[in-house]
Amino acid sequence: MLSASFLNSSSSIQSSEKTEIEIESEKIPIIEEKSIEFLKSIVRNDLRILEFEDNLKIFSLSGQEIGTFHISVKPLIYKNENCFNVKAKSSGLVDGLPCGTELNAFVNYKLETIDQEQFEIIKLPQGQIDRKIIIKLESRSEYSISKVETNQKETSKMIYRIKKNLMSGYISESSNILLQRLMIQNNDIQQISLFTFDSQMNPCTVSYNSLDKRTFSIEGDDIPIIGIERTVDFISDVPVTWQIYFSQDG
């Protein structure tokens, strides 16, 4: 599994100068009011249903096991606020290349991300890429996002700052986990568009849609499942779509 200490294991890395960038309002995608209202309405429900822990295996379309995934969501008080501690770890193969991710975040009951640390690693034939992104609510009015990326022996460091009032409709990787579970638990999957950041910290649209209900066979039993389609319109890359299916209890 990937860990923060593993990312700092190399002693021969050359560091570049740290650069700071202010993310301006004109770069934020326009979010429809109905999406904001849906986000507000869904978090008025009983959020205790969000507490869970899962250990899963990842399979390719051909049925081959290619990785593992662990996730947990636990309620707690963080910085004097009711929050969820969201943790996730995955390791496996993507297009035959070893990779791993680790996520540790604190999200409040409004699905606002207070703190999030995300680590990613991918091993390429020409070398290893490590990426660390930390999102913090520095004050009541501003977020900071730090990104450290190591590509073979070079490291780049970037700091991004964005006003908190521009983060309405923002969905991080951790709050996305909570949002999808809420949609399933409340049987309320609507077509909405919010925003997130791509790997280059460009604000980009993330949209959600419902998928047709279907059944999944497990050891001869047909289990009803419910699906959500999530699409991120990356600025720095082509759009990517995930189709995620859940059991009816989430």
Side-chain angles (χ1 to χ4, degrees), residues 47-224:
L47 298 187
R48 290 176 296 178
I49 59 177
L50 290 175
E51 182 177 2
F52 75 103
E53 185 169 2
D54 271 333
N55 287 289
L56 305 172
K57 294 182 179 180
I58 304 171
F59 294 88
S60 67
L61 292 175
S62 64
Q64 179 184 3
E65 185 178 335
I66 57 173
T68 59
F69 181 67
H70 173 78
I71 184 170
S72 68
V73 174
K74 296 181 179 180
L76 79 171
I77 303 296
Y78 183 70
K79 295 185 176 179
N80 298 318
E81 190 171 4
N82 288 317
C83 290
F84 290 100
N85 181 206
V86 181
K87 293 184 178 182
K89 289 183 181 181
S90 69
S91 64
L93 299 173
V94 174
D95 295 330
L97 300 173
C99 61
T101 64
E102 183 172 343
L103 179 74
N104 185 29
F106 299 90
V107 181
N108 68 16
Y109 282 15
K110 298 178 183 178
L111 299 191
E112 296 172 335
T113 301
I114 307 303
D115 285 339
Q116 177 178 282
E117 295 185 358
Q118 185 174 358
F119 307 93
E120 301 176 2
I121 182 173
I122 183 168
K123 295 183 178 180
L124 303 171
Q126 64 270 30
Q128 181 171 295
I129 296 176
D130 299 334
R131 183 181 295 128
K132 176 181 178 181
I133 298 174
I134 298 177
I135 300 172
K136 283 186 175 294
L137 181 59
E138 293 281 5
S139 67
R140 292 183 178 181
S141 61
E142 186 179 64
Y143 275 90
S144 72
I145 306 172
S146 67
K147 175 188 173 186
V148 180
E149 184 168 315
T150 303
N151 191 339
Q152 299 183 48
K153 294 185 179 181
E154 294 186 358
T155 295
S156 63
K157 299 179 181 179
M158 301 287 290
I159 301 290
Y160 301 84
R161 300 194 180 278
I162 182 170
K163 301 299 182 185
K164 186 177 185 295
N165 62 358
L166 299 179
M167 296 287 273
S168 177
Y170 168 64
I171 292 294
S172 65
E173 287 298 316
S174 50
S175 57
N176 167 67
I177 291 171
L178 302 181
L179 175 59
Q180 291 185 116
R181 186 169 173 83
L182 272 174
M183 287 178 170
I184 296 296
Q185 289 277 4
N186 291 289
N187 193 25
D188 190 9
I189 307 169
Q190 295 189 21
Q191 184 176 345
I192 59 171
S193 293
L194 303 166
F195 88 92
T196 189
F197 294 102
D198 65 16
S199 61
Q200 301 305 316
M201 296 299 103
N202 297 303
C204 53
T205 301
V206 54
S207 58
Y208 296 84
N209 289 284
S210 63
L211 295 170
D212 292 337
K213 294 183 179 180
R214 53 186 296 187
T215 58
F216 185 76
S217 181
I218 301 178
E219 297 181 348
D221 293 329
D222 290 333
I223 308 298

